[in-house]
Amino acid sequence: MHIAEGFLPPAHAIAWGVASAPFVVHGVRSLTREVKEHPESTLLLGASGAFTFVLSALKIPSVTGSCSHPTGTGLGAILFRPPIMTVLGTITLLFQALLLAHGGLTTLGANVFSMAIVGPWAGYAVYRLLKRFDAPLMVAVFFGAFVADLSTYCVTSVQLALAFPDPSSGFVGALGKFGGIFAVTQIPLAVSEGLLTVLVMRLLVQSSKGELTRLGVLLQGKKTDTKTESGASA
Amino acid sequence: MSRNAKINTLLLVIVAALAVLPLALGLGDDKKEPFTGSDSQAETAITENKPDYEPWFSPLYEPPSGEIESALFALQAALGAGVLAYYFGLRRGRRQGAEIASAKEAPAKRTAEGTAEGTAERTADVDSTRTTTEQV
């Protein structure tokens, strides 16, 4: 979903940068507070960032005959809330912009907005909503990660359609075109990301119950077995 | 294989199938260049919508070849996978260490208190037995 370096007109690049900046600043504050108050969570923070690193490096073939990659932002958003994921996502995007020439510095604001802000917030919102309706934890995790992934690519399509409307059909036509390239390609990948996030969450439930309870993913005093979680996650 | 391990393996198999099926079914066969990146397809689409658009900034550093680029992508994935593996390895080690410790303390506890039930009671017991073993 990277918008390549220089591929957004300056006005758009600046506007997305300005829109993203407060989220990143707020995220950095949340992250430093979390590390200061709970130094023991540093390790899990690193693991969440690492998950994004792995997933956004995996280029996977899709039904449209092209390749794309997951984002890995759903997990961190569910564990640590979206502001902290914004920082982890921005670090990943910076790494790719500086070393891989994927994405770019001028388009960083736009890419941060789609992958590190909208994705985590949308995924987190869906996760919380499903939990509110007593969905099993792993179902909520799956759809949270699925939506975090897919919404990122939808936002990228909107960003490009705004900057490059179709000469005849305008914004809507361009949205269809970019949506066809990004969003449709992304559907099976978003499913894959959902399943991988469930896998990691299952491993975390097995290995890090205390940490998950402190973060509010698991409820205190309830049975944390994945099978009985459905009844426990009120 | 435990039930947990079976479910985890199944999840990985489905992910692998989702990735391999488009290739196996030849879904990119109608394209001139099958399975290119969607990022570069978007660049093509941009130049279709606005043929006179020129990127006004270029990357500060660009990998000199496709090989170097894939090496750097592999590095990114390896870094991430390494940290994840470290995390889960550390957790597993700590858990096993705790299990061994509690298994060692179990006989002492039985003689002292009889059979303990309930996790809260048990952790309290572990603490008390730890102090007694330390005294010894």
Side-chain angles (χ1 to χ4, degrees), chain B residues 49-127:
Chain B
N49 280 8
K50 203 170 179 185
D52 57 337
Y53 187 80
E54 286 287 330
W56 55 281
F57 198 83
S58 49
L60 301 176
Y61 168 79
E62 216 160 340
S65 74
E67 274 68 23
I68 307 289
E69 192 189 338
S70 50
L72 287 168
F73 262 106
L75 177 73
Q76 186 191 332
L79 275 174
V83 173
L84 275 176
Y86 175 77
Y87 178 84
F88 284 112
L90 191 72
R91 286 282 168 181
R92 194 187 167 90
R94 278 190 192 160
R95 209 173 55 225
Q96 282 175 346
E99 274 164 21
I100 291 167
S102 64
K104 271 184 189 163
E105 285 163 2
K109 190 173 62 194
R110 221 174 288 142
T111 49
E113 305 243 352
T115 48
E117 277 176 5
T119 42
E121 205 180 324
R122 196 158 152 242
T123 45
D125 285 347
V126 168
D127 286 340

Side-chain angles (χ1 to χ4, degrees), chain A residues 51 54-55 58 75 78-79 137-143 145 190-208 212 226, chain B residues 3-16 84 87-88:
Chain A
F51 186 66
V54 180
L55 262 67
L58 293 180
L75 180 74
I78 290 170
L79 289 175
L137 174 67
M138 291 307 163
V139 172
V141 167
F142 174 83
F143 283 103
V191 173
S192 294
E193 166 152 7
L195 295 174
L196 287 172
T197 309
V198 166
L199 175 68
V200 172
M201 193 61 94
R202 287 173 54 81
L203 295 174
L204 285 175
V205 167
Q206 285 164 33
S207 73
S208 322
L212 293 188
T226 45
Chain B
R3 184 172 166 275
N4 254 333
K6 269 184 199 154
I7 295 175
N8 291 348
T9 313
L10 181 70
L11 286 170
L12 282 175
V13 169
I14 298 173
V15 170
L84 275 176
Y87 178 84
F88 284 112

